[in-house]
Amino acid sequence: MTLPPELAELLIPPQDFDARPAVEWLIRQAALAGASDLHLRPNQGKVEVLTRVDGVLAEQMELPGEIYERLLVGLKNMARVQSFRKSTPQDGRLSVDGCEVRLATGPSHFGEKVIMRLVRSGQQLPDLEELGLEETQLRRWQSILRQPQGLLLATGPAGSGKTTTLYASLRWLWNGQARWLGPRRGARLNVVTLEDPIEVVLPEFTQTPLQPAAGMTFASGLRSLLRQDPDVILVGEIRDPETASAAVQSSLTGHLVLSTVHARDSVGVVPRLLELGVEPYLLSAALGGVIYQRLLRRLCPYCKTETGEPVGCDRCDSSGYRGRQAVAEVLTVTEDLRQGILDRLPLMRLRQLAEEGGMQPLTEGARLLVKANCTSRDEVQRCVGVCG
């Protein structure tokens, strides 16, 4: 692969170039392409540059191996991590043109690999109605959000849009509350968040970043948020027993608590929280609803066929796809399901109760998108694991 001329100029001379402009160029190009991640992967005599766009990782170019050491030292200095440490992973942060970059390094056979997560400030937050949720699923989730208290969870793999869905949900609540509260002027919700990091700044909310070095963890931070007279609380992630317990207790004291948790599907959050030490009687009382989602690439509207096949054109960078949309299953916790949680019923039985309560499986939602010519069977197979 031939290097773009503007980048090639920044890498001269190979042993004595200024690394900062080269790093900034790579990050800017990734951001312009809409990438969520930028990878630098050393290989034999070269460094592969890859970007993840719409969930798909693809190689963009190859850098000459002799420039990598200098580039890496400059990148580490920008991210304020130790440049001499090569055998152990490191995490750092830097910013380029308002784009926050979270850096992770790790050793590999041919040298250190670098992964950069790009979080663009000022990026437009979609409305809840714009996420692509099927109408029935959308109305079901909105009904769950209108509950006065309880624990509402978003689950799915990394990069599936969980945080975006919760942000959009909070804004939907915020915008609707002025109407629902009646004629009093200026009535509003007090929405407070605890995040690691704050990915989208929303001025109408009180957003607090995590600071583990100062003792501000999800669990300790959540306890402090309760003293801020909140109506709705967003906790970035439930990842340990202490945070799980604090989130459940907060939801039982009259607050609406939204958070993310890693589980295989919507019903899978139940055994996951039980594993984290939440007692069944507390979980049964607290859990109000779950949205489990994946992101499917949309067929490019300019080149797709009538049979729903990706073709590829200049407007979609020859991929056949343009943008993504959510496909979800929305779980409402019915009284039968609460009793099932209390009785520690097997997961299969809990899922049966959920579907009897009206939950549409994710696979069915994906099939409907294929039928509507929104995505392809291959994309559903890749992301959901079924084709139909």
Side-chain angles (χ1 to χ4, degrees):
M1 287 186 179
T2 303
L3 284 178
E6 56 268 39
L7 177 59
E9 291 180 5
L10 297 174
L11 301 177
I12 297 172
Q15 306 304 324
D16 196 33
F17 65 93
D18 185 355
R20 179 179 288 269
V23 169
E24 292 177 344
W25 188 92
L26 288 168
I27 292 172
R28 285 194 193 102
Q29 295 306 306
L32 286 172
S36 59
D37 300 87
L38 170 63
H39 292 213
L40 302 180
R41 180 178 180 269
N43 208 323
Q44 197 163 18
K46 62 184 179 181
V47 178
E48 299 167 349
V49 179
L50 307 98
T51 56
R52 188 177 297 278
V53 178
D54 288 341
V56 176
L57 189 66
E59 184 177 356
Q60 301 303 314
M61 67 186 80
E62 293 176 353
L63 302 178
E66 62 266 22
I67 63 94
Y68 190 49
E69 182 65 28
R70 187 168 183 84
L71 185 74
L72 190 56
V73 169
L75 177 55
K76 286 183 172 182
N77 288 335
M78 292 172 68
R80 298 183 179 180
V81 299
Q82 296 174 334
S83 59
F84 61 86
R85 281 180 55 186
K86 300 180 180 181
S87 59
T88 56
Q90 294 190 80
D91 296 312
R93 294 182 181 180
L94 62 146
S95 180
V96 175
D97 296 344
C99 177
E100 182 186 346
V101 180
R102 283 176 265 163
L103 177 83
T105 69
S108 73
H109 180 71
F110 291 106
E112 284 184 277
K113 182 177 181 180
V114 175
I115 297 93
M116 289 174 269
R117 170 62 56 91
L118 279 55
V119 181
R120 288 170 288 282
S121 62
Q123 60 189 25
Q124 188 65 35
L125 177 69
D127 291 335
L128 189 58
E129 294 83 358
E130 296 174 339
L131 298 180
L133 297 174
E134 189 269 327
E135 188 69 18
T136 303
Q137 304 287 62
L138 174 63
R139 300 304 169 208
R140 192 176 181 86
W141 180 241
Q142 289 173 331
S143 177
I144 290 172
L145 289 170
R146 292 290 304 273
Q147 296 179 70
Q149 68 179 65
L151 179 63
L152 310 185
L153 298 173
T155 189
S160 61
K162 301 184 293 296
T163 300
T164 298
T165 295
L166 292 186
Y167 276 148
S169 299
L170 288 176
R171 179 164 280 177
W172 181 81
L173 281 171
W174 168 269
N175 291 334
Q177 199 68 8
R179 301 191 307 273
W180 305 329
L181 287 173
R184 181 179 178 182
R185 295 182 62 186
R188 64 180 61 183
L189 285 174
N190 181 20
V191 179
V192 297
T193 77
L194 186 63
E195 306 172 57
D196 181 28
I198 296 173
E199 296 193 9
V200 180
V201 176
L202 302 170
E204 58 266 48
F205 307 148
T206 301
Q207 296 175 273
T208 305
L210 223 60
Q211 300 181 41
M216 175 70 87
T217 63
F218 276 128
S220 63
L222 182 52
R223 288 191 291 269
S224 71
L225 293 187
L226 292 176
R227 296 191 287 272
Q228 297 183 21
D229 186 30
D231 297 305
V232 183
I233 300 170
L234 170 67
V235 181
E237 183 181 352
I238 294 175
R239 59 173 70 143
D240 56 61
E242 193 178 7
T243 305
S245 175
V248 167
Q249 292 292 344
S250 299
S251 69
L252 291 173
T253 56
H255 302 94
L256 192 65
V257 180
L258 283 69
S259 189
T260 67
V261 65
H262 285 287
R264 185 171 180 177
D265 56 22
S266 59
V267 183
V269 305
V270 174
R272 175 60 182 149
L273 289 174
L274 294 178
E275 289 170 3
L276 289 174
V278 179
E279 293 293 338
Y281 74 94
L282 291 175
L283 182 57
S284 173
L287 190 61
V290 182
I291 183 167
Y292 164 57
Q293 67 181 57
R294 299 284 183 116
L295 292 178
L296 297 175
R297 290 182 295 169
R298 290 190 178 103
L299 286 167
C300 175
Y302 301 103
C303 63
K304 68 179 180 182
T305 66
E306 293 183 1
T307 57
E309 296 299 324
V311 177
C313 65
D314 291 341
R315 300 196 190 192
C316 61
D317 197 23
S318 301
S319 68
Y321 299 91
R322 187 181 174 95
R324 291 189 290 177
Q325 73 176 87
V327 58
E329 61 182 29
V330 180
L331 167 64
T332 302
V333 182
T334 62
E335 290 305 312
D336 286 342
L337 189 54
R338 291 191 193 282
Q339 188 61 48
I341 295 172
L342 196 59
D343 295 339
R344 287 183 176 267
L345 292 182
L347 186 61
M348 186 177 297
R349 177 57 181 148
L350 291 177
R351 185 164 187 87
Q352 183 181 355
L353 290 172
E355 292 184 10
E356 289 173 358
M359 184 188 77
Q360 175 182 281
L362 187 78
T363 52
E364 180 59 27
R367 289 192 185 99
L368 290 175
L369 289 177
V370 172
K371 186 176 180 180
N373 205 17
C374 295
T375 191
S376 69
R377 293 174 185 267
D378 287 342
E379 179 67 0
V380 170
Q381 179 68 54
R382 183 183 74 88
C383 295
V384 180
V386 298
C387 55

